[in-house]
């Protein structure tokens, strides 16, 4: 970094227009300009923004700001500005994720995404454990899940014994009442103090942050029951006789222990659900290749980590490899499987000048591309961010729940205190014992677990399940609005159908048999990279037909192919190609129309200037399509099929839908 002085004591690059403008490269693309304007004129000065470093609300006309990747970020002071400029990705992982999470991982709360920090911890608002904004691809088991799993199973036997003693000990006279209290104390203490330690820690934090939540109620309830029981066991004489029950001062070790164990069960279920929903993001991250093959200026090639690819690098993509980053083809041609983006399983032909998307699969030919977008700018990275943001966005219902929760907890604590006093003063004997029991019951039973957790958990599960099924939600509000949907528009190929062309049949005319038509067409298609060509070649090989090498092969995009096979001039394609060759398809018009009516794609074969036959390829409907459409119909949802196919091909019922007609050749 150049040794130039920054207004806030840092060394940055400096240009003539902006004091302290820094050019910083991250994956070769990041560019930051730090502005120091004491008299900035900002039209939106009345609005507020959040400092990406500390999260503080600031005015939009703050003089501390920096440009990063085409966006201006503002800060509350020069320190936050300097931290951001030194490592912007550290504070923007949630906005611009890379293919993997670096050491500068940002942690956020599943319920309160506005909480962001650069280290693990608990949410100051709800007490939940913070998690990475973007999960790591090679992330091991959630350490909190492992910790809670250990605490639960090690203390569950102790809870069971304490519960059995409390419920049945006095009935069967297993031991003296005073001795039983000490036994319960010894058994319940590890459960409450060790297994329940994380809950008490969160309870204390709720008071420190002045943010009452469900941990406030759990901590107060179990803590009150345990402390009271310890005092009743160690110093029973401090209690009046009205506290005596079954020959001893009533203790409630079993209540505290059981509540802790049940809460651990709930946390285990929740953490497992959260880890499963993050699997969708991990699967998306796993689509990106780990390395790229870069072509040096001298023509030599090297394999480099994906993070080392810069904009403008020339990269070779060999057959069977994934495209490393978004770019443009500069050499070669091939077919790419872009189903991860478009949902269309049929490969797309790419030639010089065509753009390619990172993580798509190169099916056949070799390509040389020039990288245009890398790291957080790629389409895949933006999809990952969309899924992560949707999982943590708040639905309108959740915003209401958040507003209610804080008031609700305070109200519950107040009601618990009133319950204790009311039972103690006016209840039956032993009134204060009943008062304590009912006060603890109010704290525990009224805990707003569902109010605070049900909505965010349902959003995480829905967005995660959707992403794994190829459905992306923009935000939680979109998920909530699904209940209002009465019309569903679906694509045909790859959605209603399998998206994998299969050979139906061949028909020969003018002395050509059906098998000969298939053999000649497959021989000609040996030199073609079109997906339908591969289907025809595979069908011929399955029938053990002998194929000949085609010469003078020529592909006419959109209409078909030409070539010479064993001295015969062949042409294979749609009616446009046949018209160009001056060949009438009338002898097969009836058969072609019948096949199209069944949803097949029809191609005609001409040999030596005359019509030889036709071939039909179809795309079978998925086995689940009919049932899915029926269930949607039962729910009152109108389904509309949108397709680029011709009317004849798209007309058949869902049970016989097929893919594109012959215009795709």
């Amino acid at each position: 970094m150049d040794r130039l002085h920054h207004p806030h004591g840092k060394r940055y690059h400096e240009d003539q227009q902006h004091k302290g403008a820094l050019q910083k490269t991250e994956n070769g693309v990041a560019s930051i300009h730090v502005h120091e304007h004491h008299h900035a004129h900002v039209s939106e000065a009345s609005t507020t923004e959040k400092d990406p470093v500390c999260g503080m609300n600031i005015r939009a006309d703050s003089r501390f700001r920096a440009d990063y990747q085409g966006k201006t970020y503002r800060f509350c002071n020069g320190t936050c500005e300097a931290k951001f400029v030194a490592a912007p990705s550290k504070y923007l992982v949630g906005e611009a994720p890379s293919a993997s999470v670096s050491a500068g991982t940002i942690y956020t709360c599943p319920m309160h995404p506005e909480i962001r920090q650069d280290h693990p911890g608990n949410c100051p608002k709800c007490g939940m454990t913070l998690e990475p904004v973007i999960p790591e691809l090679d992330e091991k088991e959630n350490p909190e899940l492992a910790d809670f799993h250990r605490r639960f199973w090690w203390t569950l036997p102790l809870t069971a014994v304490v519960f059995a003693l409390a419920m049945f000990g006095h009935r069967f006279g297993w031991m003296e009442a005073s001795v039983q209290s000490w036994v319960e104390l010894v058994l319940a203490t590890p459960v409450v103090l060790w297994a329940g330690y994380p809950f008490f820690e969160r309870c204390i934090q709720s008071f420190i942050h002045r943010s009452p939540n469900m941990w406030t109620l759990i901590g107060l309830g179990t803590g009150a029951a345990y402390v009271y029981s310890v005092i009743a066991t160690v110093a029973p004489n401090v209690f009046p006789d009205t506290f005596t029950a079954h020959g001893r001062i009533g203790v409630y070790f079993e209540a505290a222990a059981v509540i802790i164990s049940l809460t651990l069960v709930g946390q285990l279920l929740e953490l497992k659900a959260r880890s499963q929903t993050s699997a969708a993001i991990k699967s998306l991250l796993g689509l990106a290749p780990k390395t790229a093959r870069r072509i040096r200026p001298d023509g030599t090639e090297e394999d480099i980590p994906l993070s080392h690819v810069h904009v403008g690098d020339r990269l070779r993509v060999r057959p069977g490899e994934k495209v490393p980053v978004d770019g443009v083809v500069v050499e070669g041609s091939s077919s790419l499987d872009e189903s991860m983006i478009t949902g269309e399983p049929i490969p797309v032909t790419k030639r010089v000048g065509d753009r390619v998307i990172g993580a798509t699969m190169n099916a056949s030919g070799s390509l040389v591309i020039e990288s245009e977008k890398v790291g957080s700018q790629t389409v895949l990275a933006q999809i990952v961010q969309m899924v992560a943001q949707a999982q943590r966005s708040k639905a309108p219902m959740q915003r209401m729940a958040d507003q209610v929760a804080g008031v609700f907890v305070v109200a519950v604590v107040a009601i618990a205190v009133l319950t204790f006093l009311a039972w103690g003063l006016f209840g039956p004997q032993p009134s204060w014992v009943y008062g304590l029991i009912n006060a603890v019951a109010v704290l525990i039973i009224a805990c707003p677990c569902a109010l605070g957790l049900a909505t965010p958990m349902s959003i995480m599960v829905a967005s995660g399940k959707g992403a794994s099924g190829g459905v992306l939600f923009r935000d939680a509000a979109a998920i909530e609005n699904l209940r209002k949907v009465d019309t569903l528009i679906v694509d045909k190929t790859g959605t209603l159908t399998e998206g994998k062309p299969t050979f139906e049949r061949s028909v020969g005319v003018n002395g050509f048999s059906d098998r000969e038509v298939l053999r000649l067409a497959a021989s000609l298609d040996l030199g073609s990279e079109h997906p339908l060509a591969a289907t025809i070649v595979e069908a011929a090989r399955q029938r053990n037909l002998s194929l000949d090498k085609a010469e003078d092969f020529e592909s006419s995009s959109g209409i078909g192919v030409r070539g010479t096979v064993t001295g015969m001039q062949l042409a294979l394609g749609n009616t446009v190609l046949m018209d160009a060759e001056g060949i009438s398809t009338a002898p097969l018009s009836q058969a072609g129309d019948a096949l199209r009516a069944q949803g097949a794609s029809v191609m005609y074969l001409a040999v030596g200037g005359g019509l030889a036959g036709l071939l039909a390829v179809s795309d079978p409907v998925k086995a689940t399509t009919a049932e899915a459409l029926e269930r949607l119909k039962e729910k009152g949802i109108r389904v509309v099929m949108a397709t680029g196919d011709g009317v004849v091909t798209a007309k058949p019922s869902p049970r016989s839908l097929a893919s594109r007609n012959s215009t795709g050749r």
Side-chain angles (χ1 to χ4, degrees):
M1 200 174 281
D2 292 348
R3 301 180 60 183
L4 296 175
H5 184 67
H6 182 267
H8 302 292
K10 298 292 182 179
R11 290 172 178 173
Y12 299 119
H13 288 285
E14 186 169 312
D15 62 18
Q16 296 178 352
Q17 297 179 348
H18 301 288
K19 196 184 271 187
L22 163 68
Q23 299 293 333
K24 178 179 178 66
T25 300
E26 180 188 341
N27 290 336
V29 297
S31 178
I32 301 179
H33 297 277
V34 179
H35 307 271
E36 183 70 15
H37 295 301
H38 296 278
H39 303 285
H41 299 281
V42 184
S43 59
E44 64 275 18
S46 60
T47 63
T48 60
E49 298 180 5
K50 281 189 178 296
D51 187 322
V53 176
C54 66
M56 175 182 260
N57 287 327
I58 56 175
R59 290 176 61 86
D61 59 352
S62 172
R63 64 189 181 91
F64 303 103
R65 55 198 183 103
D67 290 340
Y68 178 67
Q69 296 183 348
K71 183 177 180 180
T72 299
Y73 297 90
R74 293 174 173 81
F75 312 91
C76 61
N77 56 53
T79 301
C80 288
E81 177 188 308
K83 288 181 178 180
F84 178 85
V85 172
S89 61
K90 179 179 180 180
Y91 303 102
L92 298 178
V93 175
E95 290 192 24
S98 58
S100 62
V101 178
S102 64
T105 301
I106 297 298
Y107 294 85
T108 187
C109 173
M111 287 178 59
H112 301 92
E114 67 274 13
I115 301 299
R116 297 164 67 88
Q117 63 186 44
D118 59 359
H119 58 277
N122 295 328
C123 176
K125 291 187 176 181
C126 66
M128 291 183 69
T129 299
L130 303 181
E131 58 185 26
V133 173
I134 303 295
E136 296 185 25
L137 184 59
D138 55 352
E139 182 181 25
K140 298 180 180 179
E141 183 183 12
N142 186 334
E144 185 185 26
L145 177 59
D147 179 50
F148 280 8
H149 189 274
R150 181 175 62 256
R151 292 176 189 269
F152 173 73
W153 287 109
W154 276 97
T155 58
L156 181 62
L158 301 180
T159 300
V161 174
V162 171
F163 178 80
L165 286 174
M167 295 296 103
F168 310 108
H170 63 281
R171 296 183 182 179
F172 299 102
W174 289 337
M175 59 187 72
E176 293 183 7
S178 59
V179 174
Q180 180 176 326
S181 296
W182 281 98
V183 172
E184 291 182 19
L185 169 61
V186 172
L187 295 176
T189 296
V191 181
V192 177
L193 298 186
W194 178 66
Y197 174 78
F199 307 150
F200 291 112
E201 184 180 34
R202 296 176 182 181
C203 175
I204 294 173
Q205 289 177 348
S206 72
F207 286 104
I208 294 175
H209 297 292
R210 298 180 181 179
S211 179
N213 51 55
M214 73 173 190
W215 303 112
T216 309
L217 301 183
I218 292 175
L220 289 176
T222 56
Y226 177 76
V227 171
Y228 160 80
S229 300
V230 169
I231 297 174
T233 302
V234 176
N237 294 330
V238 302
F239 294 92
D241 294 339
T242 55
F243 277 59
T244 302
H246 305 296
R248 61 173 178 168
I249 300 298
V251 293
Y252 301 96
F253 291 115
E254 85 286 353
V258 169
I259 291 169
I260 293 295
S261 293
L262 291 177
T263 305
L264 282 171
V265 171
Q267 288 299 292
L268 289 174
L269 294 175
E270 177 196 333
L271 289 171
K272 286 183 178 179
R274 284 164 55 187
S275 63
Q276 290 172 356
T277 56
S278 66
I281 297 180
K282 292 181 181 179
S283 64
L284 290 173
L285 291 172
L287 294 175
K290 302 298 184 294
T291 62
R293 190 165 187 82
R294 181 168 61 188
I295 303 176
R296 297 191 184 99
D298 60 2
T300 60
E301 300 181 5
E302 61 176 340
D303 290 324
I304 60 173
L306 190 63
S307 59
H308 292 182
V309 176
H310 294 175
V311 172
D313 283 350
R314 293 167 66 90
L315 309 172
R316 184 175 300 280
V317 186
R318 293 166 292 191
E321 293 182 341
K322 291 183 178 180
V323 177
V325 295
D326 296 1
V328 60
V329 178
V330 293
E331 291 182 19
S333 64
S334 182
S335 295
L336 266 61
D337 181 357
E338 296 183 340
S339 58
M340 60 160 283
I341 300 296
T342 64
E344 294 283 352
I346 298 179
V348 179
T349 301
K350 298 291 183 179
R351 297 181 176 85
V352 174
D354 292 338
R355 280 180 165 74
V356 294
I357 301 173
T360 55
M361 180 66 72
N362 182 20
S364 52
S366 178
L367 296 174
V368 175
I369 69 170
E370 180 177 312
S371 60
E372 291 186 330
K373 296 180 180 179
V374 300
S376 62
Q377 301 301 307
T378 63
V379 171
L380 177 61
Q382 294 174 15
I383 291 176
V384 171
Q385 166 55 18
M386 179 185 293
V387 176
Q389 184 175 357
Q391 285 187 343
R392 297 184 180 92
S393 59
K394 290 188 178 183
M397 182 63 69
Q398 185 182 348
R399 295 191 186 97
M400 182 183 69
D402 289 345
Q403 295 173 355
V404 173
V407 178
F408 183 81
V409 172
V410 176
V412 168
V413 173
I415 293 173
V417 173
L418 292 175
T419 300
F420 175 72
L421 295 175
W423 276 88
L425 295 173
F426 308 109
Q429 296 298 323
S431 60
W432 292 105
V433 173
Y434 287 130
L436 178 64
I437 294 174
N438 289 311
V440 172
V442 170
L443 290 173
I444 300 302
I445 296 174
C447 175
C449 302
L451 181 66
L453 295 178
T455 302
M457 285 302 300
S458 63
I459 291 171
M460 292 182 68
V461 172
S463 57
K465 287 284 188 181
S468 62
V471 179
L472 301 180
F473 293 101
R474 181 180 59 187
D475 52 29
I479 300 176
E480 186 172 318
N481 285 331
L482 275 178
R483 62 187 176 87
K484 304 176 183 177
V485 170
D486 58 7
T487 301
L488 179 64
I489 301 177
V490 297
D491 184 31
K492 179 169 69 68
T493 306
T495 302
L496 299 177
T497 67
E498 294 287 351
K500 298 178 180 179
T502 58
F503 179 75
E504 286 291 328
R505 60 175 298 190
S506 57
V507 178
V509 294
N510 298 328
F512 289 92
S513 66
D514 297 350
R515 289 175 61 85
E516 181 66 7
V517 169
L518 175 59
R519 188 188 74 82
L520 291 174
S523 298
L524 181 60
D525 270 339
L526 281 174
S528 174
E529 297 178 353
H530 195 280
L532 297 184
T535 301
I536 293 173
V537 172
E538 180 62 23
R541 287 173 174 168
Q542 289 179 354
R543 291 163 175 75
N544 298 320
L545 299 180
S546 177
L547 304 183
D548 298 311
K549 183 178 179 180
E551 299 177 353
D552 301 326
F553 180 82
E554 175 189 349
S555 176
S556 299
S557 179
I559 62 174
V561 294
R562 300 179 178 88
T564 302
V565 175
T566 61
M568 295 183 292
Q569 294 289 332
L570 304 183
L572 177 64
N574 57 21
T575 53
V576 176
L577 178 63
M578 295 297 106
D579 291 341
E581 295 288 321
I583 299 173
S584 173
T585 59
L588 290 172
S589 60
Q590 186 175 356
D593 291 342
L595 289 169
R596 291 192 190 93
Q598 298 174 9
S601 297
V602 175
M603 292 159 282
Y604 295 95
L605 175 67
V607 178
L611 185 66
L614 63 77
L615 301 97
V617 177
S618 67
D619 183 8
V621 174
K622 290 180 179 178
T624 57
T625 294
E627 180 184 357
L629 294 177
E630 187 63 30
R631 292 178 63 179
L632 289 170
K633 182 179 179 181
E634 292 174 357
K635 293 181 179 295
I637 297 177
R638 173 173 172 251
V639 181
V640 177
M641 183 181 70
T643 177
D645 291 344
V647 176
V648 176
T649 304
K651 185 79 172 178
S653 67
R655 295 185 179 276
S656 60
L657 281 173
S659 70
R660 305 182 183 281
N661 57 23
S662 57
T663 57
R665 285 300 285 254

